[in-house]
Amino acid sequence: MAELHPRPAIPFLVASAGIATFSLMDAVMKDLALALGAFNAVMWRNCLGALFMGVLFIGTRQRWPAAVVLKLHLWRSVVVSVMAVSFFWSITQLPLAEAIGLSFIAPVIALYLAAVLLGEKIGREAIWASVAGIAGVAVILAGRFSGHYTLGQLWGVAAVLFSAIVFAYNLILARQQAQVAGPIEIAFFQNLFVAATLSFAAPWFLMPMPVDKAPMLAGAAVLATISLLLLSWAYARAEAQILIPVEYTGFVWAALFGWVFFSEKLTWPVLFGTLCIICGSLIAARAKPTPVNQVEIASV
């Protein structure tokens, strides 16, 4: 008997809730990064995330992966470590909406990385996606340069663009990872190995977990886990082409949470530039019909 899947509207709503949950986690992480520094916020969140996902890993009786799969988990975790610290540092310098908008250029960059690393052909869609994405970044940067800005904010722009490049490579790894492991396994080992990777810099940067910030750190880890599970459920029950646009609702949530929690204003250059980048990303998604695995959405 064929398995019955819910109507697309239900996975769409569940995925939307997953993106909203993850966006709230970004807002929590911004507060933590401002208070503790990006390194400490990422380190302690992943330690707690490894604990929570470890319980799920054992509770659902996941099988221990083969050595070759463990190596892939480890390498992607190293990449995610660099990406996460740079992104969460960037949002201490920039409004949430602006950082999220700039980060949307990652799928466009991924097209070219796929051509270089996987030998895939660069088609007409990739070129148009690049034009739209670069135009969007240019508009946002023009708005940033035309207004009042600090050196820290310019470094924040550089950090989020660097994070987007690393995230694009992360998408390539995620496609490889999704073929050999499930979401719970990926999330557990990613949290564990990210914490292990960052521990090499701990003697210079790590500070003890402040007791007053422990609930927020635990909350960030729980929000990331809930988001992962919601998105995993949705992507297992609806086609990627239906759910891909859901990712861009993250900009709306970032603008809302930035305004509510940090009194950040949304400017027209950021709004228009993000629209251009989203158009480029949608063109990129059309050029790459193979879905990005749901795990990568909650990888930061």
Side-chain angles (χ1 to χ4, degrees):
M1 187 174 180
E3 182 181 356
L4 296 177
H5 292 297
R7 293 183 178 181
I10 297 177
F12 187 91
L13 292 174
V14 171
S16 297
I19 294 297
T21 304
F22 195 71
S23 299
L24 181 58
M25 188 274 295
D26 279 341
V28 174
M29 285 296 290
K30 173 164 183 167
D31 187 273
L32 289 168
L34 286 168
L36 308 177
F39 177 87
N40 286 281
V42 175
M43 177 68 171
W44 288 120
R45 193 207 72 177
N46 277 276
C47 286
L48 292 174
L51 177 62
F52 297 152
M53 292 308 303
V55 172
L56 276 177
F57 184 83
I58 295 173
T60 55
R61 298 182 179 180
Q62 301 284 315
R63 291 189 299 178
W64 192 261
V68 65
V69 179
L70 277 175
K71 289 180 181 178
L72 182 58
H73 289 329
L74 177 59
W75 176 237
R76 188 181 175 212
S77 296
V78 172
V79 172
V80 168
S81 298
V82 176
M83 176 186 70
V85 173
S86 60
F87 176 77
F88 287 122
W89 182 82
S90 75
I91 62 175
T92 66
Q93 307 297 317
L94 298 173
L96 271 174
E98 184 172 342
I100 295 296
L102 287 169
S103 72
F104 284 156
I105 200 171
V108 180
I109 300 172
L111 287 178
Y112 289 90
L113 286 181
V116 173
L117 299 176
L118 304 179
E120 297 179 356
K121 183 179 179 181
I122 297 176
R124 184 180 302 174
E125 294 91 347
I127 296 173
W128 283 112
S130 301
V131 171
I134 292 172
V137 171
V139 169
I140 293 175
L141 289 179
R144 172 61 60 188
F145 281 108
S146 63
H148 297 288
Y149 60 88
T150 65
L151 183 60
Q153 290 170 333
L154 296 183
W155 277 112
V157 170
V160 75
L161 291 177
F162 172 75
S163 177
I165 294 172
V166 180
F167 182 68
Y169 176 53
N170 173 62
L171 300 187
I172 306 299
L173 293 176
R175 293 190 184 106
Q176 298 172 345
Q177 203 176 25
Q179 296 174 357
V180 295
I184 292 177
E185 176 186 324
I186 293 173
F188 167 59
F189 282 104
Q190 182 166 296
N191 277 284
L192 180 64
F193 286 159
V194 166
T197 300
L198 293 178
S199 68
F200 286 100
W204 295 275
F205 300 106
L206 187 64
M207 62 188 310
M209 182 190 296
V211 176
D212 61 325
K213 294 297 182 182
M216 288 188 68
L217 286 164
V222 170
L223 287 170
T225 301
I226 292 174
S227 174
L228 169 65
L229 296 177
L230 289 173
L231 290 165
S232 298
W233 187 93
Y235 270 82
R237 290 164 175 79
E239 296 179 358
Q241 61 183 344
I242 295 174
L243 299 181
I244 282 174
V246 175
E247 294 188 42
Y248 301 112
T249 61
F251 177 79
V252 178
W253 290 113
L256 175 62
F257 293 144
W259 175 65
V260 171
F261 297 120
F262 305 103
S263 301
E264 297 172 349
K265 295 181 180 179
L266 183 62
T267 64
W268 283 108
V270 170
L271 187 61
F272 182 71
T274 299
L275 180 60
C276 292
I277 294 173
I278 289 175
C279 289
S281 297
L282 290 175
I283 295 172
R286 183 179 179 183
K288 288 291 299 177
T290 302
V292 171
N293 187 268
Q294 61 269 25
V295 174
E296 72 195 40
I297 300 173
S299 64
V300 175

